[in-house]
């Protein structure tokens, strides 16, 4: 992850683009790129172009990493922290094999 973060930082520094990367602008960019990722599946979810999907996925990842850098957080840490919370919301005995939202689990 460090190498990727260094490459993104260098890319932006060379172009003087960090000035445009406020958290708000990065959040907008993440949403826009996620929409472009979704567009890859718009009319036919079974015959998608994997190369196009990977390019859009890379854009989403890149903006997410930039957001983490801007917020001065480590992607691994925030992901693992959230995963621990999610594990508690979705215990295996209630969530395995179902897509039910955690607040709809039967007690």
């Amino acid at each position: 992850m460090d190498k990727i973060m260094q490459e993104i930082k260098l890319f932006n520094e060379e172009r003087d683009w960090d000035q445009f990367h406020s958290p708000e602008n990065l959040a907008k960019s993440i949403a826009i790129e996620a929409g472009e990722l979704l567009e890859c599946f718009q009319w036919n979810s079974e015959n998608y172009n994997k190369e196009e999907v990977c390019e859009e996925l890379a854009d989403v990842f890149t903006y997410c990493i930039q957001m983490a850098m801007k917020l001065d957080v480590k992607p691994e840490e925030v992901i693992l922290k959230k995963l621990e919370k999610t594990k508690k919301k979705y215990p295996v005995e209630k969530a395995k094999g179902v897509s039910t939202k955690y607040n709809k689990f039967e007690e």
Side-chain angles (χ1 to χ4, degrees), residues 12-62:
N12 288 321
E13 285 175 350
E14 291 174 337
R15 290 156 181 81
D16 193 26
W17 282 357
D18 192 56
Q19 63 181 312
F20 307 117
H21 294 160
S22 66
E24 177 186 3
N25 286 346
L26 291 168
K28 291 174 188 176
S29 297
I30 292 165
I32 290 164
E33 293 300 337
E36 290 179 11
L37 175 59
L38 186 58
E39 187 177 30
C40 293
F41 302 98
Q42 184 173 8
W43 302 116
N44 190 337
S45 63
E46 303 205 5
N47 293 318
Y48 58 87
N49 181 312
K50 187 173 181 178
E51 184 175 335
E52 287 177 14
V53 169
C54 288
E55 287 186 9
E56 297 305 335
L57 184 59
D59 289 341
V60 173
F61 284 149
T62 300

Side-chain angles (χ1 to χ4, degrees), residues 38-102:
L38 186 58
E39 187 177 30
C40 293
F41 302 98
Q42 184 173 8
W43 302 116
N44 190 337
S45 63
E46 303 205 5
N47 293 318
Y48 58 87
N49 181 312
K50 187 173 181 178
E51 184 175 335
E52 287 177 14
V53 169
C54 288
E55 287 186 9
E56 297 305 335
L57 184 59
D59 289 341
V60 173
F61 284 149
T62 300
Y63 280 120
C64 288
I65 291 167
Q66 288 182 74
M67 174 73 89
M69 291 165 56
K70 182 58 71 173
L71 298 175
D72 197 26
V73 297
K74 295 183 183 211
E76 300 97 331
E77 288 178 10
V78 296
I79 291 168
L80 292 173
K81 183 178 179 181
K82 177 62 177 182
L83 185 57
E84 284 305 311
K85 285 179 83 172
T86 306
K87 284 179 183 180
K88 291 175 184 166
K89 285 183 182 178
Y90 293 92
V92 173
E93 59 275 3
K94 292 183 179 182
K96 189 170 186 172
V98 298
S99 60
T100 306
K101 189 170 178 177
Y102 69 94

